[in-house]
Amino acid sequence: MGDSTRLPIRHVIWGARNVIILVLTPLLLLPLPLCIGTSASKCAFVVLMMAVYWVTEALPVGVTALIPVALFPLFEIMPSELTASYYMNNMTLLFTGGLCMAISLEYWNLHKRIALKILLLVGTEPKWLMLGMMLATWFLSMWISNTGTTAMMVPIITAVLDQMRKGKNSTIEDVESNVAASDDQGKSHEVDDKTNGSVVDSSNAPHVAKKEEKPVKSQERYVVAGEGDQYELKKTESEGEKHDNDDAHSDASDSQEDDHMAQMERGMLLCICYAANTGGIASLTGTGPNLVLKAMVDELYHKHDLPSPVSFGTWMAVGLPLSAVVLIVCWIWLQVAFLRCRGPCCSCCSPATENSRRVKELIAAEYRKLGPVSLSQKIVVSQFLILVILWITRDLGGVAGWGKSFPSGFVSSSCPAMLMTIMLFAIPRNIPRIGQKLCVPLMEWSYVQQKMPWHLLFLLGSGFALAKGSERSGLSYWLGTQLEVFNDVNQWAVLFIIGYFATFLTEVTSNSAIANLLLPMLIQLALRTGVHPLNYMFPAALACSFAYMLPVATPPNAIVYATNKVKMSLMIKIGFVMNILAVPCLIVITRILGDAVFDFGNVPAAFSTDTESTQLAHA
């Protein structure tokens, strides 16, 4: 009996894969510090071990990010105090402040209000409904967690599609009950946020939907009639009035319509996760790789006493148009793939039909549930707008901005971020009266603790520590010499290689982890080949957010896949084409707008001087 219950050896190995990876990886890499023994080889040992752990997730991503704190001092690469200082610096404070403001939008349900308002404006024709869904998700994911945005949007689009599928056999009361039911879906589903570090609130997470059975025809058919808020059912015809051949034709038509509705549903779900992934590249605080690039560029320029060219305003000057172009390309591709309008899928949702009216009423009913805008919500929105304006106007291309009123280096984007964060806990949401409790602030710290992706702060810090450790140990110099083979390669070809390499690599691991590994190497590649560092760093950092193919690539993909309505094979096929289309958009726009904003043709002379001195030091 014992033999019959014994698991096959492959199952045992698979179950213990994390332990095996944790043990074998450092053992296989031991020749680097033991046999070679140089400071560069010891740093390579740490970098390679972390890369394996990040890709395989043998350890949680945030835990792997703490390895430099333990090993850099032991290997005498960097002192402990210096290594630890990179884990709480200007960039991590900027990210923390931005996240606190984003969490406040979620806390007051403002993200849902914005999304529903956009849907009310775009209409209910499938292509415009898809665009509305994408615009709402895209805009919100610039500022708040792409996981939270996707988890909020999936139940909304599911309710809308259910209403479309029901056709003419439902009332406005059914619409109201459908809205209420959509809020109760998925009470136990949770998705681990590999990118943003948060756990989806179970009340907002999508449910794992079961395949619906085809409804049985009723003997009498009804339509919704009326205007404004007054609706009534009107009988149209009975089952007995139809001929047998008409029944057969109706069944065939219903089957065709069901197929088109299923196609449209898959397209609508995929458009949400794709828009969430695309929106993060538009703003500096939208996703982790953006801040990794910002920190490394700041370090490089400050090292030569030069002002950093990357600010919130300059980033949006390039990232926002790029993000918008990729979103439009994605919308067109999803229309080609899913909304070819070969049958009733488009006609049934045209603005002139009762079905379109019910869909619009569904969205309006959901919006009405939010109630009027409260004073606290107005205050939070005002603070958010003030913060964005302060970020953008602090440095206007190095020639203007309110930051010029202070000595150089005294203020950064983290200052207004921290100021607005403090105000969230200082401004009361109510005016106390006799017999009432004391003033309650706009935000609760316990809610921020729950929503804050703490491990992502460690991940950002590890990237800064790895970059500095690679420089101090000589690993960066060694990598630069190996990358000189690209001297004779066309620069456009190098850009496409970088873009596609980062795009497909980010499908299997954290985008911030990939940025931490790639960007230091690209700095050396640029310096050794006489190219402006941002010319290579920008495409690489932005390509890390093009995760369209796999459910494991990013939490929005996982949320959509968890609905059981999108097969992995379909996601891979549609996402592969998106990866192919997105990279050329990235390269062309980066070369055009990036060159206009950052002047790629003008490489600071201090960079070439630093490269020559580094060569002499290692000669």
Side-chain angles (χ1 to χ4, degrees):
M1 183 174 181
D3 294 336
S4 63
T5 59
R6 184 176 299 170
L7 291 173
I9 185 64
R10 65 178 183 276
H11 291 173
V12 175
I13 294 175
W14 181 251
R17 64 188 182 281
N18 285 348
V19 176
I20 295 172
I21 293 171
L22 287 173
V23 174
L24 284 183
T25 301
L27 290 178
L28 294 176
L29 295 174
L30 269 181
L32 288 174
L34 294 183
C35 299
I36 302 178
T38 62
S39 184
S41 65
K42 292 176 182 178
C43 186
F45 171 84
V46 177
V47 172
L48 292 174
M49 184 170 65
M50 292 177 66
V52 173
Y53 289 171
W54 269 334
V55 172
T56 61
E57 295 191 12
L59 282 177
V61 174
V63 176
T64 302
L66 296 173
I67 289 178
V69 180
L71 294 188
F72 274 7
L74 294 179
F75 285 153
E76 299 181 356
I77 297 172
M78 275 201 308
S80 179
E81 184 176 356
L82 179 60
T83 304
S85 67
Y86 286 98
Y87 285 80
M88 184 55 68
N89 55 22
N90 187 54
M91 285 299 103
T92 53
L93 289 176
L94 168 61
F95 194 50
T96 302
L99 284 174
C100 283
M101 186 56 64
I103 291 170
S104 69
L105 294 178
E106 292 186 60
Y107 180 82
W108 287 101
N109 227 12
L110 288 165
H111 60 317
K112 191 171 186 179
R113 186 180 294 275
I114 295 170
L116 293 172
K117 194 65 176 178
I118 293 174
L119 293 179
L120 285 173
L121 294 175
V122 297
T124 56
E125 188 178 348
K127 62 180 180 180
W128 301 123
L129 183 62
M130 176 181 283
L131 180 62
M133 288 287 178
M134 295 181 74
L135 285 174
T137 309
W138 172 74
F139 176 76
L140 291 171
S141 63
M142 293 183 198
W143 317 106
I144 70 175
S145 161
N146 56 7
T147 306
T149 303
T150 307
M152 177 200 70
M153 294 298 296
V154 166
I156 294 175
I157 192 59
T158 300
V160 170
L161 291 169
D162 285 346
Q163 184 58 32
M164 287 182 175
R165 187 181 289 107
K166 288 181 179 180
K168 298 182 179 182
N169 295 322
S170 59
T171 66
I172 294 302
E173 287 74 14
D174 294 332
V175 174
E176 297 283 356
S177 61
N178 198 341
V179 171
S182 68
D183 289 337
D184 297 329
Q185 294 173 348
K187 292 297 182 181
S188 60
H189 180 71
E190 294 183 349
V191 177
D192 191 42
D193 187 346
K194 175 166 66 70
T195 305
N196 292 316
S198 61
V199 176
V200 178
D201 189 346
S202 60
S203 63
N204 290 329
H207 71 300
V208 179
K210 295 182 179 179
K211 187 175 180 180
E212 294 184 359
E213 297 181 358
K214 187 176 179 180
V216 181
K217 290 184 180 179
S218 60
Q219 291 187 346
E220 296 180 335
R221 298 177 180 269
Y222 297 87
V223 295
V224 179
E227 296 181 355
D229 295 328
Q230 302 297 324
Y231 294 88
E232 62 179 355
L233 288 178
K234 287 189 177 181
K235 181 179 177 181
T236 57
E237 59 184 348
S238 64
E239 184 75 14
E241 296 174 357
K242 287 185 174 289
H243 297 288
D244 292 340
N245 58 346
D246 292 336
D247 287 337
H249 178 75
S250 177
D251 289 341
S253 179
D254 288 347
S255 176
Q256 184 183 19
E257 184 173 341
D258 287 344
D259 291 340
H260 290 312
M261 285 300 301
Q263 278 286 91
M264 184 167 64
E265 183 175 38
R266 298 184 192 106
M268 292 289 185
L269 289 171
L270 284 176
C271 83
I272 293 173
C273 62
Y274 289 173
N277 294 334
T278 305
I281 67 177
S283 69
L284 183 60
T285 57
T287 187
N290 304 359
L291 290 171
V292 174
L293 181 145
K294 164 69 173 169
M296 292 186 181
V297 171
D298 287 354
E299 178 77 16
L300 176 65
Y301 275 77
H302 293 166
K303 175 183 173 183
H304 299 91
D305 296 324
L306 297 173
S308 174
V310 179
S311 64
F312 202 94
T314 56
W315 182 281
M316 290 199 74
V318 180
L320 184 59
L322 170 63
S323 181
V325 168
V326 174
L327 186 79
I328 294 172
V329 170
C330 181
W331 176 54
I332 295 173
W333 164 234
L334 290 177
Q335 284 190 78
V336 172
F338 295 103
L339 300 181
R340 284 173 280 205
C341 297
R342 297 170 298 179
C345 73
C346 292
S347 60
C348 71
C349 304
S350 63
T353 64
E354 292 294 337
N355 192 38
S356 174
R357 182 185 297 178
R358 283 192 299 277
V359 171
K360 189 170 184 178
E361 179 60 24
L362 170 66
I363 300 172
E366 183 84 351
Y367 187 81
R368 287 195 299 270
K369 286 176 57 181
L370 299 176
V373 181
S374 66
L375 177 61
S376 297
Q377 290 175 324
K378 293 177 181 178
I379 294 174
V380 171
V381 170
S382 300
Q383 286 186 263
F384 171 74
L385 294 176
I386 291 172
L387 176 59
V388 173
I389 293 172
L390 289 175
W391 272 341
I392 294 175
T393 59
R394 181 187 67 86
D395 184 3
L396 299 176
V399 296
W402 61 266
K404 293 292 182 180
S405 303
F406 299 86
S408 177
F410 269 69
V411 294
S412 66
S413 295
S414 63
C415 295
M418 287 293 104
L419 177 62
M420 291 297 107
T421 299
I422 294 170
M423 296 300 289
L424 286 174
F425 299 94
I427 298 176
R429 71 175 73 174
N430 66 317
I431 300 176
R433 298 178 181 177
I434 298 176
Q436 290 185 342
K437 295 182 179 179
L438 297 176
C439 291
V440 179
L442 287 171
M443 279 296 297
E444 299 177 11
W445 179 245
S446 59
Y447 187 83
V448 174
Q449 286 181 306
Q450 177 188 356
K451 290 290 185 177
M452 180 68 69
W454 301 105
H455 91 286
L456 187 53
L457 302 180
F458 296 151
L459 190 58
L460 292 175
S462 70
F464 312 148
L466 284 176
K468 191 63 178 180
S470 298
E471 179 187 342
R472 288 172 62 98
S473 66
L475 178 62
S476 294
Y477 172 79
W478 181 84
L479 287 173
T481 60
Q482 307 307 308
L483 293 173
E484 286 183 347
V485 295
F486 287 97
N487 268 330
D488 300 326
V489 180
N490 182 272
Q491 198 173 116
W492 282 89
V494 175
L495 288 172
F496 275 96
I497 292 172
I498 292 171
Y500 281 118
F501 181 75
T503 297
F504 287 102
L505 192 59
T506 195
E507 297 287 350
V508 294
T509 191
S510 165
N511 54 8
S512 296
I514 294 302
N516 284 333
L517 296 172
L518 283 182
L519 294 185
M521 291 188 289
L522 294 178
I523 291 175
Q524 293 303 314
L525 171 62
L527 295 179
R528 302 286 293 191
T529 56
V531 177
H532 198 294
L534 285 172
N535 191 26
Y536 290 157
M537 295 174 71
F538 242 93
L542 296 176
C544 289
S545 296
F546 292 160
Y548 300 113
M549 284 179 58
L550 297 175
V552 298
T554 182
N557 294 8
I559 292 173
V560 168
Y561 180 72
T563 62
N564 279 352
K565 296 179 180 179
V566 179
K567 294 182 179 179
M568 184 178 294
S569 58
L570 179 65
M571 183 176 286
I572 291 174
K573 181 175 68 174
I574 301 299
F576 178 79
V577 176
M578 264 310 301
N579 283 352
I580 298 299
L581 295 175
V583 171
C585 297
L586 167 65
I587 302 302
V588 172
I589 292 179
T590 302
R591 288 291 296 175
I592 296 174
L593 292 180
D595 192 22
V597 174
F598 300 109
D599 192 12
F600 290 155
N602 183 20
V603 182
F607 290 170
S608 58
T609 304
D610 180 68
T611 303
E612 294 172 0
S613 62
T614 303
Q615 291 176 352
L616 293 174
H618 289 85

